């Protein structure tokens, strides 16, 4: 299979506000049941209440089969202040940070499409329920209604079982998991990651 040239898409990621962007081979991406299981134990508030989160999102097994049809992925990452990621009183800023990654995933998916990669799809970080529908009691899709944010809503990398820290290491990025109880002063890299996958 010829490898697509994603240099232009990588440049567009940086133009659109990503701080880092790298092209990796999909065959190097680890998709793990253990990652998706983290949505369930301990249970994330979005587990079962969002059409794009487990158990409604594609399972790791389904996603591995999908990914086998694609050759490369553009990984993009955006840094945010550690306080935004961990502080209880910065929930609105945290939502905006996650929304920025959803927007990058959607915009780069669209850019890839118009570059000729018509099967490209983008995956962000986080749950569209907490990012876009936090003020709604229920996910409209799970109520049998149309999605309220159809161009933006999609499963996250972690929801389908992608080990974000493993792919970041492939890109040479030294990222660390940041829990809500972390001391912001001790967080070296506070960032969010998404990817766009192309055939
Ligand atoms: S954006 Fe809202 S309505 Fe759409 S899938 Fe996500 S939670 Fe459901």
């Amino acid at each position: 299979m010829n490898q697509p040239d994603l240099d232009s898409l990588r440049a567009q990621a940086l133009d659109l506000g990503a701080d880092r962007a790298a092209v990796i081979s999909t065959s190097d991406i680890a998709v793990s049941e253990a990652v998706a299981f983290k949505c369930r134990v301990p249970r994330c508030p979005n587990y079962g209440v969002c059409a794009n989160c487990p158990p409604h999102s594609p399972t790791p097994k389904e996603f591995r089969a999908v990914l086998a049809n694609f050759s490369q992925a553009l990984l993009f990452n955006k840094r945010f202040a550690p306080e935004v990621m961990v502080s209880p009183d910065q929930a609105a800023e945290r939502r905006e940070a996650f929304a920025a990654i959803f927007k990058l995933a959607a915009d780069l998916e669209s850019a890839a499409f118009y570059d000729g990669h018509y099967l490209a799809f983008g995956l962000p970080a986080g749950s569209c329920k907490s990012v876009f529908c936090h003020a709604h009691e229920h996910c409209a899709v799970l109520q049998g209604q149309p999605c309220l944010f159809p161009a933006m809503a999609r499963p996250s990398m972690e929801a389908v079982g992608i080990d974000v820290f493993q792919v970041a290491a492939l890109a040479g990025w030294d990222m660390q998991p940041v829990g809500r109880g972390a001391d912001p002063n001790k967080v070296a890299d506070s960032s969010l990651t998404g990817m766009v996958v192309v055939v």
Side-chain angles (χ1 to χ4, degrees), residues 9 12 16 74 76 98-114 117 120-125 132 149-155 194-197:
L9 196 63
Q12 289 181 73
L16 288 169
L74 174 78
F76 53 88
F98 278 94
I101 296 299
F102 271 82
K103 184 160 180 8
L104 272 170
D107 286 351
L108 290 167
E109 174 187 279
S110 177
F113 177 90
Y114 289 109
H117 306 295
F121 64 88
L123 300 176
F132 299 115
F149 298 87
M152 287 287 176
R154 59 216 33 242
M195 67 163 52
V196 173
V197 181

Side-chain angles (χ1 to χ4, degrees), residues 2-91:
N2 288 333
Q3 296 293 303
D5 179 1
L6 297 187
D7 281 352
S8 148
L9 196 63
R10 183 178 172 280
Q12 289 181 73
L14 299 173
D15 282 349
L16 288 169
D19 293 311
R20 294 180 279 194
V23 177
I24 60 174
S25 171
T26 52
S27 59
D28 292 331
I29 297 174
V31 180
S32 162
E33 276 75 8
V35 175
F37 195 68
K38 285 292 286 177
C39 300
R40 196 170 172 189
V41 180
R43 189 169 289 242
C44 170
N46 297 308
Y47 182 85
V49 302
C50 171
N52 283 311
C53 287
H56 305 295
S57 49
T59 64
K61 183 180 177 188
E62 287 174 313
F63 189 73
R64 267 193 296 273
V66 170
L67 198 59
N69 297 280
F70 292 78
S71 65
Q72 286 193 293
L74 174 78
L75 204 61
F76 53 88
N77 174 276
K78 195 167 167 57
R79 293 189 178 93
F80 300 95
E83 291 78 9
V84 169
M85 290 298 144
V86 304
S87 176
D89 59 6
Q90 296 207 27

